[in-house]
Amino acid sequence: MLRIILIGYGKLAEGLINGILNTDHKIVGFVSWDRRKKMSRLEQVLFPDKLEKLRKKANIPVLDVRSVNSYDFVTKATRLEPDIILIGSWGEILKRHAIDVPIRYCINCHPSYLPYHRGSNPYASALMAGEEYTGVTFHEVDENIDTGRIIKQEKLLIYINDNGETIRDKCSKLASEMIPGLLFDIENNRVKLQVQNEAIASYYRRINITDGAINWDNSALEIHNQIRGLYPWIPSYTLHKSKMLLINKSTLIETDISGYERGTIIGIVNNGILVATATRGTALFLEDISIYGLSKLISWYYLKRSLLTGDKLINAL
């Protein structure tokens, strides 16, 4: 039986816990970012933390430390005598004294097919790049970002209607399914380490609000990849007269857009708008639209009253 310290939060950490619970191995300590500390008691009741609920149900002990690079973490973690430290979504780059705590391996679960899409949000990075596949990679942790030797990895197909949320869910599920095989190989000394190919490595910086600015000179596919890649973290946006439209969903539509200037609204259906693009024969159907700074109700009223066929949407930057 392997003794595991888990570091992480969100869907990926949830997937890792579920994967470990399907084995005979044991999580002896868990370090996680507690988002509830900034929430009121009412919000904690209305929006329960699924990861915390899972932790309590599985009776996983919390390792309460300020930082995984702190002396406090090293001291407490060493006492637990872990075979493995396993990381799934974490903002800190581990220092050597933390990496050296486990008896066998310090492992990061990165939701991309490394060495492609290193960095803080590989879900968005892979989608915005228009990749046909991504994946999940378990690799040794070193003192750089996602550069350690690969222990195990699998590919995951990306479909045209996938977005950041669906890919995150699929990667978390795949990670969970890979865990039993990973731990079996480690326990039985069957791990084969593979050095990453730096010549083909890619890295994307942390996404920020400027990534959401739509440029109607880009192709329909580029804009679609931008909108779906940034969701649910950052809305994409464009200008309609003096208002900023926030857009969370898009669909590629094959239709005759000859005679329409790119960025022109060519149709309005229910709560969505069909917009001409720079790609011949392809428009974008935009949905889940709101107005920056306005309530949902006022946004709905504006969209119903003010968006008209023939209106031109303007580049936000």
Side-chain angles (χ1 to χ4, degrees):
M1 180 189 74
L2 297 173
R3 296 170 60 83
I4 303 164
I5 290 177
L6 180 64
I7 300 171
Y9 61 87
K11 280 280 187 179
L12 190 57
E14 186 179 331
L16 296 177
I17 289 178
N18 282 322
I20 296 169
L21 292 178
N22 286 327
T23 71
D24 295 327
H25 306 292
K26 184 177 182 180
I27 303 174
V28 296
F30 181 35
V31 182
S32 184
W33 171 62
D34 188 356
R35 69 180 180 86
R36 299 174 306 148
K37 289 181 178 179
K38 296 182 179 181
M39 298 170 65
S40 67
R41 289 188 177 274
L42 178 59
E43 286 175 320
Q44 290 181 32
V45 173
L46 294 176
F47 307 103
D49 190 323
K50 292 182 180 179
L51 185 59
E52 177 64 8
K53 185 178 179 180
L54 177 61
R55 182 197 68 79
K56 288 181 176 179
K57 183 178 179 181
N59 197 29
I60 299 170
V62 171
L63 200 55
D64 189 14
V65 294
R66 175 182 54 81
S67 164
V68 294
N69 288 317
S70 67
Y71 174 78
D72 191 28
F73 170 77
V74 172
T75 302
K76 290 179 178 179
T78 301
R79 287 173 185 160
L80 294 173
E81 299 182 335
D83 295 290
I84 299 168
I85 286 180
L86 180 60
I87 304 166
S89 295
W90 199 250
E92 294 178 276
I93 300 173
L94 270 66
K95 304 293 186 183
R96 176 50 56 186
H97 56 267
I99 295 171
D100 288 341
V101 167
I103 297 168
R104 298 200 188 191
Y105 294 99
C106 186
I107 301 171
N108 181 46
C109 176
H110 185 73
S112 82
Y113 199 76
L114 289 176
Y116 304 108
H117 302 288
R118 296 170 176 171
S120 62
N121 198 317
Y123 311 114
S125 177
L127 285 164
M128 289 192 293
E131 301 286 13
E132 294 181 355
Y133 68 87
T134 183
V136 170
T137 304
F138 289 90
H139 66 91
E140 280 188 314
V141 175
D142 57 23
E143 293 177 89
N144 298 309
I145 299 175
D146 306 322
T147 59
R149 291 180 297 178
I150 294 169
I151 299 173
K152 194 178 190 67
Q153 66 180 169
E154 291 187 19
K155 289 183 178 180
L156 179 72
L157 288 175
I158 295 176
Y159 296 97
I160 194 64
N161 290 322
D162 273 320
N163 58 33
E165 184 173 56
T166 63
I167 289 298
R168 179 183 61 187
D169 291 347
K170 290 177 181 181
C171 283
S172 300
K173 183 175 183 294
L174 178 57
S176 181
E177 293 168 351
M178 291 171 67
I179 279 287
L182 171 76
L183 299 181
F184 177 86
D185 287 348
I186 292 172
E187 187 175 35
N188 292 279
N189 298 312
R190 293 177 52 178
V191 171
K192 295 181 180 179
L193 298 170
Q194 176 188 342
V195 176
Q196 294 190 40
N197 184 352
E198 292 298 323
I200 60 172
S202 61
Y203 174 85
Y204 195 84
R205 56 170 172 74
R206 190 180 297 273
I207 59 174
N208 61 56
I209 194 65
T210 60
D211 290 315
I214 293 174
N215 183 342
W216 291 105
D217 292 327
N218 291 337
S219 71
L221 183 58
E222 286 174 319
I223 297 171
H224 175 63
N225 288 339
Q226 172 187 4
I227 294 169
R228 68 186 183 130
L230 293 174
Y231 181 84
W233 302 282
I234 295 173
S236 297
Y237 50 92
T238 185
L239 297 178
H240 177 256
K241 299 178 181 178
S242 62
K243 302 295 183 184
M244 181 179 289
L245 274 59
L246 307 180
I247 301 156
N248 286 314
K249 184 178 180 182
S250 63
T251 306
L252 295 165
I253 303 292
E254 292 185 7
T255 187
D256 182 13
I257 57 173
S258 58
Y260 290 100
E261 189 177 353
R262 61 195 65 174
T264 302
I265 299 174
I266 60 175
I268 300 174
V269 182
N270 297 326
N271 294 320
I273 56 176
L274 191 65
V275 183
T277 71
T279 302
R280 184 176 180 179
T282 305
L284 275 174
F285 186 60
L286 306 179
E287 301 175 83
D288 194 1
I289 304 171
S290 60
I291 309 299
Y292 176 75
L294 300 181
S295 68
K296 288 186 177 181
L297 180 60
I298 297 177
S299 290
W300 177 85
Y301 185 81
Y302 178 90
L303 295 171
K304 285 290 184 184
R305 293 283 184 170
S306 300
L307 291 182
L308 301 174
T309 299
D311 285 356
K312 178 76 182 300
L313 301 180
I314 305 168
N315 294 344
L317 290 180

